[in-house]
Amino acid sequence: MINRLPRRGSSFALAAALTRAGAAALRAWAPGGRERWERTNYAGRTVELYAGPASALATAACAGRVHPVAGFAVLTVGACGAYDDVAGAGDERRGFRAHLTALMDGEVTSGAVKLLGISAAGLVAGAVLKERLLDKVLAGVVIAGAAHFVNLVDVRPGRAAGAVLALGAPGLLRSGPGAAPAAAAMGAAAAVLPDDAAERTMLGDTGAHALGAALGTAVVAANGRAGLVAHAAAVVLAAVYGDAVSELARGV
């Protein structure tokens, strides 16, 4: 099981500080050239991607202090998102349904690779964090599904970071083993939100998936069978109606 320490406040503050420092370091270094770290958003403005890897690494480091497999899950899911950010640049297909359809047609998209990688990472983490077989599977679904959900709402400035803050708050407000991973995700999201909302940066798949996975590990740590069933049903439903979820996020 995930340990209760470190405390929520220290996880929040450390994740926020590491995210800011990481983004600044990447901005100064810009490996591969600055063009690689720039994207055009929905409004035609140029935004930077430094916040994505910075928030993923910071959240993974803080989650890893609580339990190594929590850090593994966040880091691996973030890496899968980073692969899609790079290899899938320009691919307009979104949602698991589009990528699975392409896979059935014989095309292995970067989104399909990401989907399979995130699912595998979630199942591995769930297998370690829970004892009974059904709970292990449910935990894997929750972790992977939470990662997917946060990415679904990352369709306008500030939506994903805001969702992480809103969804993580219940875990932060109550004591228990899920508090610290939730606090880490919220700290990273809070550090990113001002620049994200101002359309200077974006989380991308890297940050959105990683922060979602951290929320998923928080849910897994804090809940028994009934809670896992409820959360698994919620994330599966969100995935099935992914287009509607994204459309709703656009209008918020």
Side-chain angles (χ1 to χ4, degrees), residues 25-133:
L26 284 172
R27 189 177 296 108
W29 180 24
R34 299 199 179 278
E35 295 79 8
R36 178 171 298 218
W37 294 89
E38 294 178 347
R39 293 290 186 275
T40 301
N41 72 359
Y42 78 103
R45 299 183 179 91
T46 299
V47 295
E48 59 185 31
L49 291 174
Y50 305 113
S55 60
L57 291 171
T59 307
C62 292
R65 294 169 68 219
V66 183
H67 194 297
V69 79
F72 158 81
V74 174
L75 187 62
T76 304
V77 168
C80 292
Y83 172 76
D84 196 32
D85 275 337
V86 175
D91 190 343
E92 297 297 327
R93 288 171 292 192
R94 291 184 63 89
F96 78 96
R97 187 178 302 173
H99 293 292
L100 286 180
T101 299
L103 188 62
M104 288 188 292
D105 290 337
E107 180 186 2
V108 181
T109 65
S110 61
V113 173
K114 177 186 70 174
L115 173 63
L116 295 174
I118 289 175
S119 299
L123 289 172
V124 169
V128 175
L129 294 173
K130 291 298 182 182
E131 296 179 357
R132 298 182 180 276
L133 179 59

Side-chain angles (χ1 to χ4, degrees), residues 183-215:
M186 292 179 68
V192 170
L193 184 56
D195 286 338
D196 189 358
E199 299 185 54
R200 292 188 290 267
T201 192
M202 63 184 294
L203 282 168
D205 285 5
T206 309
H209 282 306
L211 295 183
L215 292 180

